[in-house]
Amino acid sequence: MKKQMLAVLCFASLVLVAGCAKRSTTLTSSFGPPQLISPADVNASEPALATAKDGDAYVVWVEHRGKDADVMFKHFNGDGKPLGDPIRVNSKAGQATAWRGDPPTVAVADDGTIYVGWTGRAESSTGGPANIYLSASRDSGRSFAAPIKVNDDQKPAVHGMHSLAVYGDGRVYVAWLDERNVAPAPMKDMKMDASSGHHMESNRELFFASSTDGGRSFAANQRIATDVCPCCKTTLAVAKDGLVYASWRQVLPGDYRHIAVSSSSDQGKTFANATIVSNDEWVLKGCPVSGAALLAGAAGTLRVLWYAGSDKGQHGIYWSESHDAGKTFTPRELLAAGSARGTPVFLRDGNGVWQDGEGSKAQILLSRFGNEGRVSSDPAGSPTTVTSAGELPAAASANGRIFIAYVADDGAKQSVWLINAEKGKLGFGDSGQ
């Protein structure tokens, strides 16, 4: 059921792009050739990507074999050269679950520990419930320790759309959508809503857990929000001063679905009252499968990047900024008009990556509007095309280099590809971010 919850969200770029009628791995000349990182004979999707201080990149993805799935991990150096063979993250083969709106996550701590968050099937006769797990590697990704279950409820329930953040050498934060207290929607409501083109489900609750010992154990789960859009990705971000931010898409009376943000100044023990980033007036009887990207800066500065598809203004990717730790936000500004699919990604320097279009017209765009933490809507910031044949982008930057993992059709199956480029050669400047 979850794998079928694909919202029809696609948007036209501000940039004119030609030759995207057929899916391939064609790239613009600014980037090097893509490299296939998943096995050629396996159906693979749902990539996630993180970079370390030394510039190395870590990519995870999910390999699907019928009802079974595995989370795979691969290490690349700062030039994009693979270091070793892929390894499986989940210790029990086939246990993982994923769909395009709910990929695994990966993050790297200051001490080099690599954390991978993923969902796995719970033991249940219904086959639907799933748990949130965290796996850690303390040997540069050569092996992963036994997974730790993050959600602390015992009765089988659905947990998903999780996000992951790390701070310092030992603090790990996880947020997710939870159904432990939610009554299932009637089966008639689980079908596609003809008027909106989106699937209907019961709203979920947003839960959060933290670890102070490097992910070896987690504190009691806490609920942050109720009436949360059931299949929109959650997001976590941590500022350099330790301030924790969480974001989700809130369902308001009247089926308004708006991005919400809350912050914690006590390492996730408590969270402030939620703030709606923008009154987009987006009424939707279903789930758009689209969350927000967060970029936490100094002195309580927070940037948010998200999609809105209402009749208030143009459909498209918008951004806003807070200067008081998420209590208030500047009026939204349009970055790219049209329709988007999925959840955008922020790079460390403020540039964004997202999917434009779907199917044979799917492409991945990279914004050019960020500069040293300062947002600018200068026309020179119009997005540039990364690939005219990609979906589900995951991206990160380090040491002046950008890495982007994405999914492309390969005959009757999907494969995961990786590209990378020096920011200076793309006209971004080499700031070392």
Side-chain angles (χ1 to χ4, degrees):
M1 177 78 64
K2 298 296 184 293
K3 292 182 180 179
Q4 298 173 348
M5 284 183 236
L6 305 180
V8 184
L9 292 176
C10 37
F11 75 91
S13 169
L14 294 176
V15 185
L16 296 178
V17 180
C20 58
K22 182 179 180 181
R23 299 296 300 279
S24 66
T25 52
T26 304
L27 298 176
T28 59
S29 60
S30 299
F31 291 82
Q35 55 178 308
L36 177 65
I37 64 174
S38 61
D41 59 345
V42 174
N43 191 37
S45 188
E46 296 93 30
L49 193 155
T51 52
K53 287 184 175 180
D54 60 5
D56 283 9
Y58 304 99
V59 185
V60 296
W61 67 91
V62 179
E63 295 182 356
H64 297 271
R65 299 172 180 84
K67 295 182 179 180
D68 292 337
D70 293 310
V71 179
M72 305 302 296
F73 167 93
K74 195 166 186 176
H75 182 187
F76 298 84
N77 69 12
D79 294 323
K81 183 178 180 180
L83 302 176
D85 296 325
I87 65 170
R88 191 180 72 222
V89 174
N90 48 295
S91 56
K92 183 179 179 181
Q95 183 187 10
T97 64
W99 59 285
R100 67 171 296 133
D102 191 12
T105 53
V106 59
V108 186
D110 288 348
D111 64 359
T113 301
I114 304 162
Y115 297 98
V116 176
W118 53 282
T119 54
R121 291 195 305 269
E123 297 299 330
S124 170
S125 59
T126 64
N131 293 317
I132 306 293
Y133 293 98
L134 183 76
S135 297
S137 173
R138 297 175 175 84
D139 56 8
S140 300
R142 289 185 289 273
S143 65
F144 280 86
I148 301 298
K149 181 172 171 280
V150 179
N151 55 286
D152 59 10
D153 51 329
Q154 301 302 316
K155 183 179 178 180
V158 174
H159 309 82
M161 317 304 292
H162 80 279
S163 49
L164 169 67
V166 300
Y167 180 72
D169 289 343
R171 292 198 172 273
V172 182
Y173 303 111
V174 184
W176 66 94
L177 300 188
D178 197 298
E179 288 189 351
R180 69 181 73 181
N181 303 317
V182 177
M187 287 304 296
K188 64 180 180 65
D189 292 335
M190 296 290 285
K191 300 177 182 179
M192 183 77 77
D193 179 74
S195 63
S196 67
H198 299 271
H199 285 84
M200 301 291 292
E201 281 193 282
S202 297
N203 294 333
R204 295 188 188 176
E205 297 178 330
L206 176 68
F207 271 72
F208 174 90
S210 62
S211 171
T212 59
D213 58 5
R216 295 175 176 85
S217 64
F218 280 86
N221 298 175
Q222 62 170 301
R223 185 173 62 185
I224 297 178
T226 60
D227 283 324
V228 179
C229 191
C231 48
C232 288
K233 190 75 171 177
T234 64
T235 309
L236 287 174
V238 187
K240 289 184 178 179
D241 61 3
L243 193 62
V244 181
Y245 295 95
S247 177
W248 63 96
R249 193 176 288 274
Q250 184 71 46
V251 181
L252 301 170
D255 273 326
Y256 289 93
R257 294 174 188 262
H258 296 163
I259 299 299
V261 167
S262 179
S263 64
S264 172
S265 58
D266 57 6
Q267 300 174 338
K269 295 182 179 66
T270 61
F271 279 82
N273 292 333
T275 299
I276 299 299
V277 174
S278 172
N279 181 17
D280 295 331
E281 298 182 10
W282 191 8
V283 178
L284 188 65
K285 294 182 178 179
C287 182
V289 195
S290 178
L294 300 181
L295 185 65
T301 299
L302 178 72
R303 270 184 280 174
V304 186
L305 190 69
W306 77 98
Y307 171 76
S310 71
D311 293 331
K312 178 183 179 181
Q314 294 175 283
H315 294 195
I317 293 283
Y318 286 86
W319 62 269
S320 178
E321 207 167 29
S322 173
H323 300 279
D324 55 9
K327 297 181 179 67
T328 62
F329 285 86
T330 59
R332 71 177 190 175
E333 293 194 38
L334 182 68
L335 175 62
S339 295
R341 186 149 189 197
T343 300
V345 182
F346 257 137
L347 301 178
R348 294 178 183 177
D349 62 359
N351 290 292
V353 178
W354 65 89
Q355 178 182 330
D356 172 89
E358 62 174 331
S360 63
K361 296 183 179 180
Q363 59 183 334
I364 295 170
L365 299 181
L366 171 66
S367 77
R368 300 168 59 87
F369 79 118
N371 182 23
E372 297 297 327
R374 180 173 175 269
V375 172
S376 170
S377 55
D378 188 289
S382 296
T384 189
T385 304
V386 175
T387 170
S388 58
E391 297 182 286
L392 306 181
S397 60
N399 293 353
R401 202 166 193 90
I402 297 172
F403 292 85
I404 300 176
Y406 66 96
V407 176
D409 287 345
D410 186 6
K413 63 179 181 61
Q414 292 184 313
S415 298
V416 177
W417 299 77
L418 178 69
I419 55 175
N420 68 95
E422 294 180 23
K423 293 202 303 181
K425 292 182 178 179
L426 301 175
F428 286 79
D430 189 358
S431 64
Q433 296 294 325

